[in-house]
Amino acid sequence: MNASVAIQTLPEAKNDEELIRIVDEVIAYIKSTGLNCYVGPFETAIEGDYDELMEIVKECQHIAIRAGAPSVAAYIKVTYRPEGDVLTIEKKVTKHHQD
């Protein structure tokens, strides 16, 4: 796994319910890829191959538009290590979610 991304999709929506519905469709798509992901309150982190992740990031925008958003913005964070592995979601957050 040579990359990880965090994506925050911000679709234009007429109300909160519509916003949540569209974002939920984007998250469902991300989960359907089968890649390891972590859904947080502001963004979703995904781990995998850099090129595959960039295609997923691109498709997230299309999903939001097809779901009814007239426009969409996104904040993207990328960690890429062509020769080796990046830190995993598990290594970054598991210790903070244990009792």
Side-chain angles (χ1 to χ4, degrees):
M1 174 195 65
N2 67 2
S4 63
V5 300
I7 181 168
Q8 181 184 29
T9 301
L10 302 164
E12 183 181 340
K14 50 190 165 186
N15 56 49
D16 288 347
E17 291 76 23
E18 184 72 0
L19 177 79
I20 291 168
R21 182 190 65 76
I22 294 169
V23 170
D24 284 348
E25 288 195 36
V26 173
I27 293 169
Y29 162 69
I30 292 169
K31 288 181 174 182
S32 78
T33 67
L35 295 178
N36 189 36
C37 67
Y38 179 87
V39 178
F42 291 102
E43 64 188 14
T44 299
I46 319 161
E47 302 172 327
D49 172 73
Y50 177 80
D51 290 330
E52 183 178 12
L53 292 175
M54 292 302 101
E55 288 299 318
I56 290 168
V57 165
K58 183 171 84 172
E59 184 61 19
C60 287
Q61 313 322 296
H62 296 300
I63 297 285
I65 296 297
R66 286 195 300 267
S71 67
V72 62
Y75 290 105
I76 312 295
K77 299 177 204 169
V78 179
T79 300
Y80 176 46
R81 182 175 284 170
E83 304 298 327
D85 292 333
V86 296
L87 284 173
T88 65
I89 293 168
E90 182 180 342
K91 283 183 182 178
K92 293 177 186 177
V93 302
T94 298
K95 64 185 173 191
H96 300 290
H97 297 283
Q98 297 173 344
D99 292 333

